[in-house]
Amino acid sequence: MRHFGHIAPEVRQRLFHQEPCEFTADSPARLLSAALGATLYSPATRPRLADDIVKQAGSGVVSMVLCLEDSIDDADVVAGEENLVRQFADLDSRAGVEPPLLFIRVRAPEQIPDLVRRLGATARLLSGFVVPKFTEERGLPFLEALTAAEAESGHRLFAMPVLESPELLYRESRVDTLEGIARAVDKFRDRVLALRLGVTDFCSSYGLRRAPDMTAYDVQVVASVIADVVNMLGRADGTGFTVTGPVWEYFRVPERMFKPQLRQSPFLEVQAVELREKLIEHAMDGLLREISLDQANGLLGKTCIHPSHVLPVHALSVVSHEEFSDAQDILRPERGGGGVLRSAYTNKMNEVKPHRAWAERTLLRAEAFGVAREDVGFVELLAAGIPG
């Protein structure tokens, strides 16, 4: 699989200075954590789940979470587990189909080994489990169960803890909770692919809900938690983890919203104006602003609950030609001693030592999402990625 792999090769060549790399579920964790992109959630009870997975893969989705937790009723958990076993068997029987990275969001540690055993050979399609309401005390049993299930099955499994508990939100317990989480995930570092933020749960603790024209960063009590999570768990010194962006709750936009306007010629400037107007009309401007703020605050990828959110996340994750040029200049071997240099775009100064970590992260993102050509921007990437 690869980002933008669902569009024609000749279109990718027009869009990208460096195309996104190909990867599989067996690729190194460092690459997979950067390549998660828009992780699309789906209730595990959907009767045509295998069809849904294939459809979304064909539309550019590279990671999905099949949820047995908050997205389904408590009474439907058993039926959801049974459905997952059937749907994985269905998916496994389809020749030539490469599904996205698939994760199951569970409620209890014992579900992990139980589901892996019940999936049997089809567990090879599973990349891991999402662990809800993660703290050191509640999370360690999940990580231990995952490690045991991996050993029993012989199949590599990753965990993606969700940071969403009230203890993490409340100021008086936040530092202790973060320190506990740091101990837990460090102990199982090889098994933790990324940390996910549960902002909806944060808001619920205070009876809050952000409006479609506001981002998570406009809600100060939430923004402070994001900052502290990145501060303690997202450091670029080798101790940190990939932290993914929070869910965007609004999805009034039809999945094929831009096709009539943009299919004619996605590279005309007039189309950019039309697209921008459509984005605002459908309340997508808030999502775009939040994605940009996610990246500015050190987050990579995003939890998504609607297919219309996927392409904007991926289009804004592509590295610009200017960013790529700066990152390459900073990391040239002959500049290992440091120094300051003017950027190739002659609009900024690149300081080799302070900007090195940024440059390394940028080149990893470039590997996963590609580098746009010099004259290609978000609008062109978004338009070209809309399924035909």
Side-chain angles (χ1 to χ4, degrees):
M1 70 190 87
R2 70 161 79 189
H3 285 290
F4 297 92
H6 64 297
I7 66 176
E10 61 272 19
V11 177
R12 282 203 307 272
Q13 289 173 8
R14 291 204 305 268
L15 292 171
F16 289 98
H17 170 77
Q18 173 184 300
E19 292 191 27
C21 72
E22 292 186 345
F23 58 93
T24 71
D26 296 321
S27 293
R30 177 175 173 271
L31 175 59
L32 292 183
S33 68
L36 286 167
T39 301
L40 185 64
Y41 273 57
S42 175
T45 51
R46 290 180 66 87
R48 300 180 63 86
L49 186 58
D51 290 336
D52 296 340
I53 291 169
V54 172
K55 176 183 176 182
Q56 297 307 329
S59 298
V61 172
V62 304
S63 63
M64 289 186 70
V65 173
L66 315 176
C67 185
L68 290 166
E69 208 229 356
D70 285 348
S71 69
I72 67 173
D73 191 277
D74 296 349
D76 293 333
V77 173
V78 172
E81 292 175 343
E82 294 170 349
N83 188 55
L84 283 177
V85 174
R86 287 193 301 270
Q87 301 295 332
F88 268 68
D90 182 350
L91 200 58
D92 190 51
S93 69
R94 304 188 187 205
V97 171
E98 183 180 28
L101 304 172
L102 297 177
F103 301 85
I104 299 174
R105 184 177 182 177
V106 290
R107 296 183 174 214
E110 56 269 21
Q111 286 179 291
I112 293 176
D114 180 59
L115 281 167
V116 171
R117 281 192 291 268
R118 291 163 66 181
L119 288 171
T122 68
R124 68 180 182 81
L125 302 176
L126 181 66
S127 290
F129 291 87
V130 173
V131 181
K133 300 172 179 60
F134 191 93
T135 62
E136 182 179 28
E137 181 180 2
R138 286 196 295 268
L140 280 174
F142 283 93
L143 297 178
E144 291 164 353
L146 181 137
T147 302
E150 180 183 80
E152 183 178 338
S153 66
H155 173 66
R156 184 176 71 167
L157 295 169
F158 288 111
M160 291 201 292
V162 185
L163 310 185
E164 57 188 344
S165 65
E167 300 99 311
L168 182 58
L169 181 64
Y170 300 151
R171 180 177 293 274
E172 68 272 18
S173 55
R174 184 179 303 170
V175 172
D176 287 345
T177 302
L178 279 169
E179 288 176 344
I181 291 170
R183 286 191 296 268
V185 295
D186 186 62
K187 182 178 179 182
F188 292 88
R189 176 170 292 274
D190 291 343
R191 300 275 61 80
V192 176
L193 190 61
L195 304 176
R196 312 199 72 88
L197 288 164
V199 164
T200 301
D201 279 46
F202 290 156
C203 289
S204 74
S205 295
Y206 288 89
L208 304 175
R209 186 174 193 178
R210 65 191 190 275
D213 59 345
M214 290 188 177
T215 71
Y217 302 91
D218 295 314
V219 183
Q220 290 301 299
V221 69
V222 169
S224 70
V225 184
I226 295 175
D228 287 344
V229 167
V230 174
N231 190 322
M232 294 186 68
L233 298 170
R235 298 177 185 178
D237 60 359
T239 66
F241 295 83
T242 294
V243 182
T244 65
V247 70
W248 181 258
E249 298 178 352
Y250 298 92
F251 51 88
R252 289 186 291 152
V253 185
E255 192 172 350
R256 295 168 63 85
M257 57 186 171
F258 307 127
K259 184 173 169 59
Q261 288 80 11
L262 291 173
R263 185 50 59 187
Q264 302 168 33
S265 175
F267 301 101
L268 296 177
E269 179 59 30
V270 66
Q271 302 297 68
V273 175
E274 293 179 9
L275 179 53
R276 193 171 296 112
E277 290 173 352
K278 285 289 181 183
L279 289 169
I280 294 171
E281 176 186 340
H282 290 283
M284 291 289 275
D285 53 326
L287 169 63
L288 301 183
R289 193 159 67 93
E290 184 165 287
I291 297 167
S292 298
L293 288 168
D294 286 342
Q295 294 177 2
N297 284 277
L299 310 184
L300 182 59
K302 199 167 187 65
T303 296
C304 293
I305 55 166
H306 195 270
S308 65
H309 300 166
V310 172
L311 188 53
V313 172
H314 291 170
L316 282 174
S317 297
V318 173
V319 173
S320 71
H321 188 272
E322 181 175 347
E323 290 175 308
F324 185 65
S325 173
D326 288 340
Q328 282 194 313
D329 281 349
I330 290 165
L331 294 176
R332 291 189 191 283
E334 64 270 23
R335 298 196 172 115
V340 178
L341 57 145
R342 186 173 65 172
S343 74
Y345 276 70
T346 68
N347 60 357
K348 71 179 77 66
M349 298 303 293
N350 291 323
E351 292 192 60
V352 173
K353 288 184 177 179
H355 288 142
R356 177 170 294 275
W358 169 85
E360 290 170 347
R361 293 181 71 166
T362 298
L363 290 190
L364 179 59
R365 182 160 58 92
E367 185 178 358
F369 291 96
V371 179
R373 289 193 180 275
E374 194 168 357
D375 58 345
V376 170
F378 165 74
V379 169
E380 291 87 353
L381 293 163
L382 183 64
I386 297 166

